[in-house]
Each structure stands twice: as structure tokens, then as C-alpha cells.
């Protein structure tokens, strides 16, 4: 009994640290949403300072000695934890071990560089001139290599970086999957190229007022089940989805003469958004209540974008509505 | 020489803590802007958690023992500091002493209660039913009384609360100023009421499309000198201004048949915004580079709203433009 009470208290403190890390990261996500959707251009340097503060504090909590002690204690008494609690200990252990190897200053340099590079990326995109962004990309690659070196790897520096998005997965495994798909895909492209059938694409490039694209897009997103009381749609130079549970932000961009740009972007991000709105609020703020991996996330976004959005069945249903908008 | 190097290092650490506190507070401000302007309704509980994390961390830094040691060291060597540095030490000492008396949990309860009460305030406003907001207001008053008790006071609990907005000012002083104004104001109102002249107000209540109000408002704001590269205008249920330096957010609300609501709100908030955009970026993140007091702030907002915006000279200039919009 005394042991259990002790473990319960340790777990409570552990979870309160874990939730602080979670909220600091969600705040960073919101700042990033704001930067891409709302922030005036001269806000960029202050924003980078803010990322540095948040990521530094999150790192202190996740990688610190207190977390190390809490994890060790909980692991030594894992038989007294329930399944959800063991998931949280296991996943925080993963992140903790990883974070401990990466210097706080390196993390801060990465997030401030990301923040500052955003506007150069945007300028490069607008002017269609990669040379504007190239030095920033080089800087980021160099920083990410330092992360890989700090964490360590057996075969390729990409492995420890991949692990951040797709836990327990290696470049070799991914290459195996892609190599397996290659023959059939190459054959498919060859058959398309040599076919005499040429689909008419004019319908995709028909002029469609942006205000109407926005209305139609929101209508589709609502039909897909997205809860607008727990999320919103905005515009950004490139579509993305961020947030979780009761506050999910999705974005898209509009081209008057190419509705697929906005619509499939929206359906893709709504796939992400539905996953995020569906997270179990009981476990909010802990790994047990958060995204599993980017692959699982993409399984939802691509399901909606490609298997639904680009299907004949969907368009047999949706096209008459699109015409009526 | 050894002494100076030491003080320089201590000051450097001091300022890095001070800047962390500053950025945590500015992030809270942005979250609050987002809550009032952008956030979907179901985001409210997560947002309150975020306020609690940020305010707790800011409190730790401001009220902690490290800050106490740094302040004591710098005060003992204040002859080695320049004037700007002494201002920062003096002002952080004020905030530190104050923060040290207020428990972290109380601060966190206040910011989460504020976050949660926002939607009840909005509902009360929309339904014109004060009873919806009353219990939340009572809760806030009770919490603020606890802050006053924690800080201590001689005459009235309002004094330590007033001090947060208008440093070194007491209720008695403010009452003295207001009492001095009272006779002339009472006489003014009496003369207005008994005058036979009745101004025609129809022009204020003329229908004016909201999109046009928005355009005209932005045009005035730009003329006032607001830098849209370093700020933006949005809508919120009640006008406010937040942010600083390169990222100042001002808001207003629109009534189709009452242009003063949006316009004078905008001119008022732009007064705040010009002050914020004019802060010296060299001292960003420190008291030396931040707002002096609410009174000084209001001197700018009311100058623009009342002395400029409600003047005959302004309207002789602006009215033809308003008619042309």
C-alpha cells in the first residue's frame, strides 16, 4: 500500500511535467500557425525569440534530471502502473533519451532558424527563385546533421531524424517498401505514357471564383465530419494542419484557375484534422492521447485526399453540388 | 576590473531571465489575442491550460531565488551599471518583490479563470444578460482580493492591484484627481442638459456598409502612422490592442448603423498601437524597452480618439473622404 501511494505520487508529478512539455509544444505550434497565417512580417524576430524560449523550457523538463529520476522510479515499479500509464512511461522514455543527447542550444538554434527561414522560403516561392532559400536550407541540413550526430546512428544520419516522425523505423525499411512498389509504379507510368487515351484536363483549369472555392471547400470539410466548433480553416502559402482535440487549425491556398490546389489541399488537411479532433480528451497532454506517428497521420490525410477525393464515386456525388455553388 | 567583469556576467544572466519572463508574457498576450479573435469555442479549456503553464513558468523566473540573488548582487554593485541597466534592475526589483508575495498557484488560478470566463462574458454580452457573467466576475474579484491580501496594503485592497497598472499610484491620489475634476464636469453636464441646442445625431446612425467601414478605418489608421508591416487589424467583440514593437495587434467591432463604434474604437487602439510600435527595439524584452504604465498608454489612445478623432478639425479634413468611400 505504501509503495502504491508513492508510485501514484511519482506518476502524478511525472504527468504534470509531461503535460507542461505538451502544452509548451502546442503553444509553439500555435505560434507557428500564427506566423504562417496571421503574423505581420516585422514580427519574425520576436517570434523566433519566443520559439527559443518555449523549446528551451520544454527541453529542460523533458531532458532534465528530475525527469530521469521520475522515469527510473516508474520503470522500477511498472507492475504498479496500468496499461495507459505504462504507454506514457515508455513513450516519454523514448523522447527523454533522445532529448538528453541533443544540447538545449542546438534545439534553440533549430527553432529560431526555422522561424527566420520561413520568410525566405516564402519569398523564394513567390519569386520562383530557389537561390533565396538555398542558404537557409543548407543551414537547416547542417543543423539537422548535428542532431543526428548527437543522437548517434549505425548506418545513416537520416535514421535518428526519421525516428522523430516515424518511431522505430529505419531508412532501410522505408527503402524496402518503396523498392517493392517501384516495379509496378514504373510499369504504370509507362502504360499511361504509351496509352492513346488522353484525359481532358480543362475542367480542372476552369476559372472558379475564390470566394466560391472557399464556400464549397468548407461545405466538403463539414460533410467529412470536421467540427467547426473545434477548429477553423484559414489561408496560408502552403496547406497544413496543426493543433489537437478542441482546437484544430487547417489551411489551404487558392488559385482562381485551379480548384484542385485548394480542394485537395483541404481534404488532405481535413484528414489530419479529423484524426486530431478524434484524439481521446481523457488522455490530453500525454503521449497516450497524442499523435502516434506521421505515417499514421498521413494514412488519414491521404485516404481522404486520394481514395475519397480523387475517386469517381465522390465526384458523381459532389459534382452537381460544385456546379450549383 | 575583475569586479566589473563579474557584474557584467551577472547582469547578462539577469537580463536573460528577464527576457524569458518578457517573452512568456508576450506569448500569453498572443494566446489571448488568438482566443478573442480566432480561436474556435472548444479550444477554451486547452487555452486555459496553456495560460497556466506560461504564467507558472514566468512566475518561477521572476519570483525565484536565482532572481533574488541576481538582484541583490546587482544592487550591491549599482555604481558599475549604466542608467538603462539601473532602470531594469529597479523595475524588476518592483515586480520581483510583488511576485514573491503571490503564490504561483494563485496566479495560475487567475489566468485560467480569466481564460474560462471569456466565453461567459461573451455570451452575457450577446444575450444582454449580466447574470451569465456575474458568478465569473465574483470569482475574479475574490481571486484579486486574495492577491491584494498576499501583497498587503495600508488603506484599501485596491491599492496593490492599482499598482500593477499604474506603479506608485494610490486610490487616494486617483480619487483626488477625479474629485478635482468633478465640479467642472457636473457643471458641464448640467449646462448641456439645460441648453436648448440639441445636436443632430442622425449622421452617426446612418447605415454604412461594414466592408466600407473597414476600408475607411484602415485608411485612417494608416494615416495616423500605424505600420501594417508591424501590425494588423482584426475584429473582436470588444476593441483592444496587444503586442509590441514589430507585431502589434489592434481590433475593433462593427455596427452597420453606428460607425463611431468601429472608428473611434480603431483610433483609440491605434493610439495604443503607435506607442507599442514606437518602443525602442534596442531594449526589447526588458522593462527599459516596454510600457511604462496604463496611464501613459491611455494618454496616447485618448489623445487620438478624443482630441483628434472627435475634433472639428479632424472631421473637416476626414468627412469628404468618408463620403467618397
Amino acid at each position: 500500500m505504501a509503495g502504491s501511494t508513492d508510485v501514484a505520487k511519482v506518476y502524478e508529478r511525472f504527468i504534470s511535467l509531461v503535460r507542461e512539455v505538451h502544452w509548451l509544444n502546442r503553444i509553439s505550434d500555435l505560434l507557428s500557425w500564427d506566423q504562417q497565417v496571421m503574423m505581420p512580417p516585422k514580427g519574425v524576430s520576436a517570434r523566433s525569440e519566443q520559439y527559443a524560449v518555449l523549446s528551451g523550457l520544454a527541453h529542460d523538463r523533458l531532458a532534465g534530471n528530475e525527469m530521469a529520476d521520475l522515469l527510473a522510479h516508474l520503470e522500477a515499479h511498472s507492475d504498479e502502473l496500468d496499461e495507459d500509464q505504462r504507454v506514457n512511461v515508455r513513450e516519454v522514455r523514448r523522447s527523454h533519451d533522445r532529448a538528453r543527447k541533443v544540447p538545449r542550444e542546438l534545439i534553440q538554434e533549430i527553432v529560431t532558424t526555422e522561424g527566420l527561414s520561413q520568410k525566405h522560403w516564402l519569398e523564394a516561392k513567390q519569386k520562383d527563385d530557389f537561390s533565396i532559400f538555398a542558404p537557409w536550407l543548407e543551414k537547416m541540413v547542417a543543423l539537422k546533421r548535428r542532431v543526428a550526430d548527437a543522437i548517434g546512428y549505425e548506418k545513416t544520419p537520416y535514421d535518428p531524424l526519421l525516428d522523430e516522425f516515424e518511431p522505430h523505423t529505419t531508412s532501410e525499411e522505408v527503402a524496402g517498401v518503396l523498392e517493392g512498389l517501384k516495379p509496378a509504379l514504373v510499369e504504370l507510368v509507362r502504360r499511361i505514357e504509351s496509352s492513346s487515351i488522353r484525359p481532358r484536363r480543362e475542367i480542372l483549369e476552369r476559372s472558379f471564383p475564390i470566394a466560391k472555392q472557399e464556400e464549397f471547400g468548407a461545405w466538403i470539410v463539414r460533410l467529412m465530419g470536421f467540427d467547426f466548433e473545434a477548429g477553423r480553416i484559414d489561408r496560408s502559402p502552403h496547406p497544413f494542419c496543426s493543433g489537437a482535440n478542441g482546437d484544430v487549425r487547417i489551411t489551404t491556398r487558392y488559385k482562381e484557375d485551379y480548384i484542385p490546389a485548394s480542394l485537395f489541399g483541404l481534404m488532405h488537411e481535413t484528414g489530419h484534422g479529423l484524426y486530431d479532433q478524434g484524439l481521446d480528451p481523457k488522455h490530453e497532454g500525454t503521449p497516450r492521447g497524442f499523435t502516434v506517428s506521421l505515417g499514421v497521420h498521413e494514412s488519414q490525410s491521404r485516404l481522404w485526399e486520394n481514395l475519397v477525393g480523387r475517386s469517381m464515386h465522390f465526384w458523381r456525388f459532389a459534382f452537381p453540388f460544385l456546379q450549383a455553388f
Side-chain angles (χ1 to χ4, degrees), chain A:
Chain A
M1 269 311 271
S4 290
T5 313
D6 186 44
V7 170
K9 273 189 188 152
V10 171
Y11 186 79
E12 200 183 313
R13 173 65 189 153
F14 163 76
I15 281 298
S16 87
L17 272 187
V18 167
R19 298 185 83 230
E20 277 200 2
V21 174
H22 174 83
W23 290 123
L24 290 169
N25 290 334
R26 296 298 72 70
I27 294 167
S28 285
D29 290 349
L30 187 87
L31 295 185
S32 172
W33 172 86
D34 182 82
Q35 179 169 0
Q36 291 173 72
V37 177
M38 298 292 162
M39 195 184 79
K42 291 183 184 168
V44 70
S45 75
R47 185 54 45 90
S48 284
E49 302 276 351
Q50 295 165 5
Y51 293 138
V53 169
L54 292 173
S55 65
L57 292 171
H59 187 270
D60 292 345
R61 268 144 197 78
L62 181 59
N65 291 333
E66 187 183 4
M67 184 62 91
D69 294 344
L70 292 165
L71 280 170
H73 190 98
L74 292 169
E75 283 162 345
H77 298 84
S78 66
D79 54 326
E80 295 176 50
L81 300 175
D82 68 24
E83 207 183 323
D84 289 329
Q85 293 175 323
R86 280 201 294 270
V87 168
N88 283 330
V89 171
R90 182 191 75 209
E91 291 305 309
V92 174
R93 162 61 71 192
R94 271 175 42 76
S95 322
H96 168 81
D97 286 351
R98 187 186 162 87
R100 237 178 139 79
K101 292 178 193 161
V102 186
R104 187 187 205 268
E105 293 69 28
L106 180 53
I107 298 288
Q108 289 187 310
E109 204 180 333
I110 288 174
V111 297
T112 52
T113 307
E114 265 176 348
L116 296 171
S117 64
Q118 178 75 15
K119 69 170 177 180
H120 303 281
W121 169 79
L122 186 61
E123 196 192 337
K125 184 180 158 84
Q126 281 163 346
K127 297 186 178 163
D128 196 14
D129 179 358
F130 177 65
S131 71
I132 297 167
F133 183 55
W136 290 90
L137 184 59
E138 272 171 28
K139 209 175 279 193
M140 280 303 292
V141 170
L143 288 167
K144 287 287 188 178
R145 276 188 183 277
R146 283 172 57 197
V147 172
D149 289 341
I151 296 172
Y153 54 88
E154 277 177 36
K155 292 188 175 168
T156 156
Y158 193 62
D159 278 345
L161 303 176
L162 176 58
D163 192 68
E164 192 178 342
F165 296 90
E166 204 56 28
H168 309 295
T169 304
T170 64
S171 302
E172 209 166 272
E173 286 172 300
V174 173
V177 171
L178 295 178
E179 285 297 334
L181 290 169
K182 195 173 171 182
L185 287 172
V186 167
E187 170 62 12
L188 180 64
V189 170
R190 198 198 55 74
R191 281 174 59 195
I192 290 169
E193 282 176 346
S194 64
S195 166
S196 61
I197 304 168
R198 283 281 169 272
R200 293 174 49 196
R201 297 174 44 95
E202 305 91 69
I203 195 172
L204 301 175
E205 285 153 19
R206 201 175 279 183
S207 172
F208 204 97
I210 285 174
K212 289 286 174 192
Q213 290 191 38
E214 238 175 340
E215 269 181 62
F216 181 69
W219 180 76
I220 293 283
V221 167
R222 196 180 297 275
L223 275 185
M224 285 169 67
F226 187 78
D227 177 0
F228 279 91
E229 293 277 296
R232 48 180 292 142
I233 305 176
D234 292 278
R235 298 184 189 193
S236 67
H238 192 79
F240 67 90
C241 172
S242 72
N245 297 97
D247 188 357
V248 173
R249 314 274 172 118
I250 60 184
T251 69
T252 192
R253 78 302 211 198
Y254 297 87
K255 290 185 186 175
E256 167 118 15
D257 57 359
Y258 194 62
I259 194 177
S262 67
L263 188 63
F264 293 127
L266 262 188
M267 293 187 77
H268 179 104
E269 301 308 334
T270 304
H272 286 302
L274 292 172
Y275 179 105
D276 291 327
Q277 287 187 337
L279 292 168
D280 188 345
K282 201 177 76 183
H283 296 292
E284 192 174 15
T286 71
R288 173 62 185 80
F290 201 58
T291 303
V292 169
S293 80
L294 188 62
V296 170
H297 237 302
E298 287 286 313
S299 76
Q300 302 307 297
S301 57
R302 286 173 194 256
L303 172 81
W304 281 101
E305 178 188 5
N306 296 329
L307 301 191
V308 176
R310 298 186 201 270
S311 73
M312 186 59 93
H313 275 75
F314 174 75
W315 283 109
R316 283 216 177 97
F317 157 77
F319 192 59
F321 291 98
L322 178 64
Q323 285 177 303
F325 257 84

